[in-house]
Amino acid sequence: MNEQIFNRALGAYLGFACGDALGATVEFMSPSQIQTAYGVHKDIIGGGWLALAPGEVTDDTQMSLALGQAIIDHQSWNLQAVADNFLAWLNSNPPDVGNTCRRGIARYRDNGTLIGVPHDDEAGNGACMRNLPVVLATLNRPDYFAQWSLEQARITHHHPLSDAATLALGRMTNLLITGQGVDACLQEAERLISQHSQFAYQPYPGKASAYIVETVQTVLHCFFNSDNFESCLIATVNQGADADTTGALAGMLAGARYGLEQIPERWLGRLDAQVVEKIRGQTDKLLQLAGVL
Ligand code: MN
Ligand code: MN
């Protein structure tokens, strides 16, 4: 039982990183540009606008690791430690930083602000994309899940749509990792749409930008209309636009649903080995903290 939970949790985290590395190649491209360049984009080959090495990950995975490390180092929740790790990451000259993330982290650096006032323009996907470590650390503690998720999110993004998506995707991931199946997950998606109808994804509107609504629509459309890990990620990243982040979030859900063994070896083997090692270590420690292992 616990072995299955570990397998699906590790599948979610490594699936997330695979989606990031796979999608980064085609980030900001349109579906037709991708088709012209690659036919169907389905291999981790690096490149893209960031000129990445094959298997290199971007801010999505790096910020998740920064958040996870703060939880592990303190064996609990310490919001300032999370913000400090985000700041250390920003200072490490990362390949990519989202504008809203940069602004929020700079605000913390300059003023010590851990929660910004709500902003209409903070409905990007940057808070939602990095929340997986909180899901893992609170797997058995839903009461902590909401508080920790919203606090980490609002360091950079304070917007009701960002908040709602961060909670909904986190709960979906929890349901899948704990083996409650895709139907429970679908109910959670329907709950999100009943609260914020903007997230409706059927029929699929066809946009995959960093606006949290379009990100979530793309991820849910591809996740619920595929039946294996590989086809879910390929469908997602070939929508282009914010393909590394939609790919990462689709990889998180698909990894949690199908487990580690469905992640293609040609992807896992390509992923930056240091990142794989960090993810393995964090998954183990975060689940221990949750009292699952
Ligand atoms: Mn990215
Ligand atoms: Mn992105």
Side-chain angles (χ1 to χ4, degrees):
M1 181 59 183
N2 286 349
E3 207 170 300
Q4 282 184 354
I5 286 179
F6 181 76
N7 176 290
R8 287 191 290 255
L10 187 55
Y13 214 155
L14 288 173
F16 181 93
C18 280
D20 183 3
L22 179 70
T25 303
V26 295
E27 189 180 22
F28 300 133
M29 292 172 76
S30 71
S32 66
Q33 286 173 327
I34 296 170
Q35 203 182 13
T36 302
Y38 301 104
V40 177
H41 174 57
K42 57 185 179 187
D43 288 303
I44 294 180
I45 55 173
W49 75 283
L50 295 170
L52 298 169
E56 193 175 350
V57 296
T58 73
D59 50 342
D60 310 69
T61 305
Q62 291 173 344
M63 291 197 85
S64 299
L65 288 168
L67 171 56
Q69 198 56 50
I71 298 172
I72 290 163
D73 287 345
H74 290 267
Q75 286 295 296
S76 181
W77 189 240
N78 183 322
L79 186 60
Q80 191 167 344
V82 173
D84 283 337
N85 278 13
F86 288 167
L87 179 56
W89 166 76
L90 180 65
N91 288 337
S92 74
N93 194 24
D96 188 26
V97 183
N99 291 333
T100 311
C101 286
R102 184 185 296 281
R103 184 176 69 188
I105 298 167
R107 189 171 55 205
Y108 169 71
R109 178 194 62 207
D110 296 340
N111 308 322
T113 308
L114 287 166
I115 174 170
V117 294
H119 261 282
D120 282 346
D121 68 349
E122 290 185 356
N125 58 22
C128 179
M129 77 182 188
R130 61 178 182 239
N131 201 44
L132 178 56
V134 169
V135 177
L136 299 184
T138 63
L139 207 63
N140 277 346
R141 300 183 294 183
D143 47 336
Y144 290 177
F145 165 74
Q147 181 210 333
W148 297 12
S149 296
L150 294 178
E151 285 188 0
Q152 77 80 7
R154 290 172 180 171
I155 294 172
T156 55
H157 293 64
H158 196 170
H159 191 286
L161 295 176
S162 168
D163 287 354
T166 301
L167 294 176
L169 263 67
R171 289 195 183 110
M172 289 169 66
T173 306
N174 179 311
L175 291 166
L176 293 166
I177 291 174
T178 55
Q180 293 173 76
V182 75
D183 286 343
C185 204
L186 198 52
Q187 281 176 19
E188 188 62 45
E190 281 163 7
R191 197 158 74 124
L192 172 67
I193 294 163
S194 74
Q195 289 165 350
H196 299 280
S197 60
Q198 297 96 318
F199 288 105
Y201 62 95
Q202 292 172 304
Y204 175 53
K207 292 183 182 163
S209 77
Y211 176 40
I212 188 63
V213 168
E214 294 183 0
T215 298
V216 168
Q217 285 170 331
T218 298
V219 170
L220 296 184
H221 167 72
C222 294
F223 176 68
F224 287 121
N225 288 292
S226 56
D227 62 4
N228 64 78
F229 181 88
E230 184 176 358
S231 69
C232 175
L233 262 65
I234 290 174
T236 305
V237 300
N238 280 274
Q239 291 295 331
D242 197 7
D244 63 324
T245 306
T246 58
L249 290 170
M252 173 181 81
L253 292 177
R257 179 177 177 181
Y258 302 113
L260 184 60
E261 56 280 348
Q262 265 213 20
I263 302 180
E265 182 49 41
R266 73 173 200 283
W267 289 351
L268 257 191
R270 264 293 166 90
L271 213 51
D272 181 329
Q274 279 190 322
V275 169
V276 172
E277 195 183 309
K278 280 183 193 161
I279 286 175
R280 284 185 182 276
Q282 284 203 3
T283 301
D284 188 60
K285 293 189 178 87
L286 292 167
L287 289 179
Q288 280 186 35
L289 185 65
V292 177
L293 295 184

